[in-house]
Amino acid sequence: MDSELVIGDWSILRRDRDTLCGGVLLAARTPLALRRRREYETDSGEDLWASFTWQDSIVPPDAYHLPLEAEVSYESARCSNIMDPSNINPARDWNFNKCNHEQLYSLLSETSWDSVLLATNVPEAISAFYQIIYDIFNNCMPKKHRSKSVTKRYSVWFTPEITKDIKRKVTLHGIWKRSKHHDDYKNFSDLRNSLKHRVATAYQIYTKRVENKIRINPREFWRQISRLRSKGGFEPSVSYCGDSYTGAAAAEVFAKFLPACF
């Protein structure tokens, strides 16, 4: 009962499961005021969304301490725009595995480098050098074809068995929701509890392996970072003075705005 949970100036939000036990609870103390956001909650029954307002200011606002307002918009993956990989320029996304090496060697040996040698400054020479290299690459190898379809991405520390059981858990949850039988719920619950333990263990093993690789082979660590970035994803945007910014531009705008608050 809510009366058993409410203590003094604490406010409680709860979302109970359809079973006899379990659920999600969120507690906040004054001056935080909670408001439940049911429009963001999923059908799984395992999440509870809320927004909050701070009734009293931490520091009274003045001309030198303006309030910092942050606005976050929520979109599902289906209606979000897919973000291209942040570290890949499509114009230079060559497939080196399909390179014509004989043609590459021939062009490198026959190319005139006068534009580099006759440059009047270092930036001009560098620009001319890369322009020659990129033109040769365009003649020797095709570009990569990257899929634009939305695919489910799992954490890098998930093993194939964990990924398989996560999909199986979704199936078992659907079976239980339709049947409401105790045995079906037990199958779902047992697998869920097992996954929680296995995911935590896999994460510990992964972090230890990454830490060891940083010391032993840092190049492999940065290769993994590059692989993760090349998968793309969904990138939030920041609005400032009526314009929208993403990626590095969003960070620069935030850095420009933040000093005005102090």
Side-chain angles (χ1 to χ4, degrees):
M1 296 177 62
D2 289 346
S3 59
E4 298 174 341
L5 299 174
V6 176
I7 303 175
D9 54 355
W10 287 82
S11 59
I12 302 293
L13 293 180
R14 56 189 293 182
R15 185 181 183 187
D16 299 330
R17 292 177 182 160
D18 296 333
T19 58
L20 297 178
C21 59
V24 187
L25 182 143
L26 181 63
R29 192 174 186 178
T30 306
L32 286 179
L34 295 177
R35 182 168 72 91
R36 186 167 176 179
R37 305 300 297 271
R38 299 178 184 272
E39 65 270 23
Y40 297 151
E41 295 174 358
T42 64
D43 296 332
S44 65
E46 302 296 329
D47 58 339
L48 174 62
W49 286 75
S51 60
F52 71 89
T53 55
W54 190 280
Q55 297 176 348
D56 298 325
S57 299
I58 301 177
V59 177
D62 53 37
Y64 301 99
H65 299 85
L66 301 177
L68 179 62
E69 180 180 357
E71 181 178 350
V72 178
S73 60
Y74 174 87
E75 292 181 345
S76 66
R78 293 182 179 179
C79 60
S80 297
N81 294 325
I82 299 178
M83 179 188 68
D84 290 331
S86 60
N87 65 331
I88 292 178
N89 182 349
R92 301 174 185 172
D93 191 16
W94 295 287
N95 190 341
F96 287 90
N97 292 328
K98 297 183 178 181
C99 174
N100 186 335
H101 293 91
E102 292 184 1
Q103 184 182 10
L104 175 64
Y105 301 151
S106 175
L107 291 176
L108 285 173
S109 62
E110 298 172 358
T111 296
S112 172
W113 301 92
D114 291 342
S115 59
V116 179
L117 300 175
L118 298 177
T120 58
N121 53 65
V122 173
E124 182 181 344
I126 293 176
S127 177
F129 172 79
Y130 278 110
Q131 185 60 51
I132 294 174
I133 294 296
Y134 294 155
D135 289 341
I136 293 176
F137 284 174
N138 285 330
N139 292 324
C140 297
M141 66 191 80
K143 299 290 197 312
K144 291 182 179 179
H145 298 284
R146 298 184 179 271
S147 174
K148 292 293 185 179
S149 60
V150 179
T151 57
K152 180 66 175 179
R153 296 186 177 94
Y154 297 96
S155 300
V156 294
W157 57 84
F158 283 8
T159 63
E161 292 77 14
I162 289 177
T163 302
K164 180 179 179 181
D165 282 345
I166 287 177
K167 298 176 181 178
R168 181 166 166 259
K169 185 190 73 169
V170 175
T171 302
L172 292 178
H173 181 264
I175 294 174
W176 165 65
K177 292 289 285 186
R178 290 190 296 270
S179 68
K180 299 297 183 181
H181 290 167
H182 176 73
D183 292 342
D184 292 333
Y185 174 76
K186 188 176 186 306
N187 293 334
F188 161 70
S189 179
D190 290 345
L191 181 59
R192 180 182 59 188
N193 293 334
S194 171
L195 277 172
K196 288 181 179 179
H197 173 72
R198 288 156 56 196
V199 167
T201 302
Y203 178 73
Q204 293 176 357
I205 295 174
Y206 172 79
T207 53
K208 290 181 180 179
R209 184 170 68 248
V210 170
E211 290 172 356
N212 292 333
K213 282 188 176 181
I214 292 177
R215 294 193 297 266
I216 300 173
N217 187 5
R219 179 176 296 180
E220 179 61 27
F221 168 77
W222 290 112
R223 284 177 181 171
Q224 175 66 10
I225 296 298
S226 179
R227 284 194 293 267
L228 294 177
R229 294 176 62 197
S230 65
K231 291 182 179 180
F234 301 96
E235 186 175 25
S237 61
V238 174
S239 298
Y240 179 69
C241 296
D243 296 324
S244 181
Y245 302 88
T246 59
E252 293 175 359
V253 168
F254 185 78
K256 179 181 178 181
F257 168 74
L258 191 59
C261 302
F262 299 96

